[in-house]
């Protein structure tokens, strides 16, 4: 099939008349151990059509994998409906097969036995399933390894077995949950190309592919359509058509423009005018309301209840001061700024590695991001050029001004009788909004920032927060 024919086939195939999966206003909530209700994703409507590869792209916390499992019928949504071929799902989706990130092979079974698992579960006779399995193994390039065990295979070969196990079922849709993220760069690229070759083959049996990824270049390379999810909770923010002809050249102007467009979408909040950044920043988890009680004895004294209700949806960015300083080192080398795609390439970072640093940088006003382009600010340049001691002072000032959680801890310590607080008090406040693990993460980030800026310290053995000696006289 020629490139032109392939492009035409994909465009013509996507019509409401050949919908495979339809999700309407789907949401997923869970209740944490402490009774807090967590919304993983909310109000997502999505259709998967025959003849297309769709990538679900988003940051960590967007609920990508959980959404994929809801479409697969492996988890039941708490709101909305999922239909397969017009029928509402009441259990596992009969029209899909799933390829996992971690291969999910049975170590005690051979390659052939692993590929036959699904067929055996469906009651396919031995002779038939043997033929189908061998054909699938041959198709994926593993002929000769039928009797090998997973421990004898490389990571790329194990994932090939996972793909063969899915293909042998001849599903309507092949679901892939970050299938290449556990592989080295070269193996991942080779396997992407193999999947695309299988997709373009006249003999292919699957009608559509739906894959979860956090790799923007991977999404542009493989997909006909990219669905972008925002985070905390997951929600649909864009559905982008990728009409680039195949095979796609990663170095072409059109490819790079599409990558830049997706980066801009994923950093849409950070590209807002500077004066709006605090309201939009993921770090704006607590307000700057002053602590009025001089003797802090419990979480209700630390912050009034009405303030807790104003806690933002997004957690503090999981970035260290050292990592942020390193980011500034790179950005400062480009006086006119650098595209996020080029920055990620320069650092060899994935989305989930880069964006927390970008979020932290925009929150502290040391960088500004607009339309996928990042540039250092005057404050960032001051921090970047400062010596070690001065850099700590600059960071402390920025954190106190722009990081409300750090500000509130420091302020509460000043208002307390002895300049000390139990860490558990702050955790109680955070647990009112976050799950236990997230609350601990928020607390740990605040402590690391406070320590670096010599604002306050934390003794984990005694669970005591205290003002830093260098900060007591200020």
């Amino acid at each position: 099939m020629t490139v032109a024919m392939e492009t035409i086939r994909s465009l013509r195939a996507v019509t409401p008349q050949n919908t495979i999966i339809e999700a309407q206003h789907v949401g997923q909530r869970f209740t944490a151990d402490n009774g807090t209700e967590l919304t993983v994703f909310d109000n997502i409507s999505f259709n998967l059509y025959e003849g297309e590869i769709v990538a679900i792209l988003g940051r960590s916390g967007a609920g990508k994998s959980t959404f994929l499992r809801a479409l697969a019928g492996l988890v039941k949504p708490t709101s909305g409906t999922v239909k397969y071929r017009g029928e509402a799902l009441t259990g596992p989706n009969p029209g899909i097969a799933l390829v996992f990130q971690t291969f999910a092979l049975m170590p005690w079974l051979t390659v052939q036995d692993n590929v036959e698992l699904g067929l055996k579960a469906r009651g396919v006779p031995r002779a038939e399933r043997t033929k189908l399995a061998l054909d699938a193994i041959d198709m994926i390039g593993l002929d000769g390894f039928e009797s090998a065990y997973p421990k004898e295979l490389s990571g790329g070969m194990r994932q090939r077995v996972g793909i063969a196990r899915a293909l042998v079922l001849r599903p309507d849709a092949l679901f892939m949950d970050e299938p290449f993220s556990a592989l080295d760069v070269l193996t991942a690229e080779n396997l992407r190309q193999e999947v695309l070759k299988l997709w373009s083959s006249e003999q292919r049996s699957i009608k559509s592919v739906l894959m979860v990824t956090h790799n923007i270049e991977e999404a542009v390379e493989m997909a006909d359509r990219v669905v972008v999810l925002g985070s905390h909770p997951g929600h649909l923010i864009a559905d982008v058509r990728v009409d680039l002809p195949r095979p796609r050249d990663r170095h072409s102007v059109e490819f790079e423009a599409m990558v830049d467009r997706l980066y801009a979408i994923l950093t849409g909040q950070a590209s807002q005018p500077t004066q709006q950044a605090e309201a939009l920043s993921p770090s704006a988890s607590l307000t700057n309301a002053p602590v009025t009680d001089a003797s802090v004895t419990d979480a209700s004294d630390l912050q009034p209840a009405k303030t807790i209700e104003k806690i933002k949806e997004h957690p503090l960015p999981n970035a260290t001061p050292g990592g942020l300083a390193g980011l500034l080192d790179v950005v400062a080398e480009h006086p006119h700024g650098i595209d996020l795609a080029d920055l990620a390439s320069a650092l060899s970072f994935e989305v989930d590695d880069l964006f927390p640093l970008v979020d932290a940088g925009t929150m502290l006003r040391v960088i500004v991001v607009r339309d996928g382009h990042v540039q250092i600010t005057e404050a960032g340049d001051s921090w970047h050029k400062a010596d070690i001691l001065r850099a700590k002072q600059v960071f402390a000032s920025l954190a106190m001004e722009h990081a409300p959680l750090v500000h509130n801890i420091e302020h509460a310590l000043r208002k307390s009788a002895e300049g000390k607080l139990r860490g558990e008090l702050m955790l109680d406040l955070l647990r009112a909004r976050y799950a236990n693990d997230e609350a601990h993460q928020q607390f740990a980030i605040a402590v690391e920032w406070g320590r670096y800026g010599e604002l306050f310290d934390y003794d984990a053995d005694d669970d005591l927060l205290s003002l830093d000696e260098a900060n007591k006289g200020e």
Side-chain angles (χ1 to χ4, degrees):
M1 180 178 293
T2 67
V3 170
M5 289 176 64
E6 174 66 17
T7 302
I8 292 171
R9 178 197 59 75
S10 295
L11 292 174
R12 286 178 176 172
V14 180
T15 66
Q17 285 70 42
N18 53 19
T19 303
I20 297 177
I21 296 172
E22 180 183 7
Q24 295 180 327
H25 307 293
V26 175
Q28 186 69 56
R29 296 183 299 276
F30 297 104
T31 301
D33 294 338
N34 65 351
T36 303
E37 190 174 78
L38 305 174
T39 301
V40 181
F41 57 83
D42 186 49
N43 195 30
I44 298 178
S45 294
F46 165 80
N47 285 2
L48 178 67
Y49 304 102
E50 289 184 11
E52 63 174 355
I53 300 177
V54 178
I56 300 175
L57 180 68
R59 306 190 195 191
S60 177
K64 303 183 297 293
S65 293
T66 306
F67 180 59
L68 189 77
R69 281 160 172 73
L71 299 181
L74 300 181
V75 296
K76 181 177 175 57
T78 49
S79 61
T81 59
V82 177
K83 295 180 180 180
Y84 167 66
R85 298 292 188 185
E87 297 291 330
L89 291 181
T90 57
N93 192 325
I96 69 99
L98 187 58
V99 177
F100 299 92
Q101 174 185 359
T102 54
F103 316 139
L105 303 180
M106 303 301 176
W108 59 88
L109 297 180
T110 65
V111 167
Q112 181 176 331
D113 290 337
N114 267 288
V115 174
E116 288 186 17
L117 270 178
L119 296 172
K120 189 174 182 180
R122 291 184 176 184
V124 176
R126 177 186 293 274
E128 183 180 353
R129 69 173 185 257
T130 296
K131 181 183 184 305
L132 291 172
L134 292 177
D135 287 345
I137 291 170
D138 182 59
M139 183 188 306
I140 204 67
L142 281 178
D143 48 315
F145 289 87
E146 295 85 355
S147 60
Y149 287 90
K151 66 180 181 181
E152 303 175 64
L153 307 177
S154 66
M157 295 172 74
R158 291 179 194 178
Q159 192 59 293
R160 287 175 184 267
V161 177
I163 294 171
R165 182 178 56 190
L167 292 177
V168 78
L169 298 175
R170 298 185 177 179
D172 266 357
L174 178 66
F175 281 16
M176 308 178 80
D177 189 3
E178 301 200 35
F180 314 115
S181 61
L183 307 175
D184 65 82
V185 174
L186 292 178
T187 301
E189 180 57 24
N190 176 256
L191 202 48
R192 285 188 202 103
Q193 294 304 317
E194 291 296 329
V195 170
L196 288 172
K197 288 177 184 177
L198 286 171
W199 170 251
S200 300
S201 170
E202 293 286 359
Q203 288 76 41
R204 66 181 174 86
S205 58
I206 55 174
K207 296 180 176 64
S208 288
V209 177
L210 180 64
M211 61 179 293
V212 163
T213 182
H214 59 255
N215 185 316
I216 294 176
E217 286 80 5
E218 179 176 276
V220 176
E221 180 179 2
M222 298 195 69
D224 300 301
R225 185 159 57 103
V226 179
V227 173
V228 187
L229 300 185
S231 303
H232 304 293
H235 58 283
L236 182 66
I237 58 176
D239 190 334
V240 180
R241 184 78 199 176
V242 184
D243 289 329
L244 305 180
R246 303 183 191 278
R248 292 172 180 168
D249 179 5
R250 280 176 172 252
H251 302 291
S252 71
V253 173
E254 295 80 8
F255 189 99
E256 292 177 354
M258 180 58 71
V259 169
D260 288 342
R261 180 182 176 188
L262 291 173
Y263 267 107
I265 290 171
L266 281 167
T267 57
Q269 292 182 334
S271 66
Q272 298 296 321
T274 303
Q275 62 267 27
Q276 297 181 22
E278 183 165 359
L280 296 169
S281 169
S283 67
S285 298
L286 301 170
T287 71
N288 280 318
V291 179
T292 56
D293 194 336
S295 178
V296 181
T297 58
D298 59 34
S300 62
D301 290 328
L302 190 61
Q303 290 253 337
K306 64 181 181 180
T307 299
I308 297 175
E309 295 175 1
K310 296 180 181 179
I311 293 177
K312 300 296 182 181
E313 291 293 330
H314 302 291
L316 293 167
N318 188 15
T320 66
L324 189 52
L327 178 71
L328 291 182
D329 289 340
V330 177
V331 177
E333 295 176 358
H334 303 270
H336 300 293
I338 180 175
D339 287 340
L340 281 169
D342 294 332
L343 181 61
S345 178
L347 297 171
S348 298
F349 274 10
E350 300 283 2
V351 168
D352 288 346
D353 300 320
L354 178 61
F355 280 174
L357 289 170
V358 172
D359 289 342
T362 55
M363 181 191 69
L364 294 179
R365 314 297 199 273
V366 294
I367 59 173
V368 61
V369 181
R370 293 189 180 94
D371 299 324
H373 192 78
V374 59
Q375 193 165 5
I376 195 167
T377 64
E378 184 177 345
D381 196 50
S382 296
W383 183 19
H384 167 65
K385 291 179 178 177
D387 59 30
I388 294 177
L389 294 180
R390 177 58 183 159
K392 285 177 172 284
Q393 294 170 352
V394 172
F395 178 85
S397 176
L398 293 170
M400 284 294 289
E401 184 177 359
H402 302 301
L405 179 54
V406 175
H407 172 97
N408 284 340
I409 292 176
E410 198 269 358
H411 197 98
L413 287 169
R414 287 193 179 280
K415 289 293 184 179
S416 65
E418 299 179 355
K420 295 182 178 181
L421 284 174
R422 291 285 180 188
E424 190 64 27
L425 296 181
M426 180 56 63
L427 282 170
D428 279 345
L429 175 67
L430 293 170
R431 289 191 191 103
R433 184 61 188 86
Y434 302 114
N436 187 55
D437 288 347
E438 291 178 289
H440 277 276
Q441 183 185 57
Q442 295 286 290
F443 182 73
I445 295 168
V447 166
E448 184 163 14
W449 287 23
R451 281 172 169 163
Y452 178 82
E454 297 184 352
L455 293 169
F456 49 82
D457 199 359
Y458 176 62
D459 186 330
D461 292 333
D462 295 330
D463 186 35
L464 277 180
L465 287 160
S466 59
L467 284 173
D468 191 282
E469 289 296 327
N471 191 31
K472 284 185 176 179
E474 297 184 10

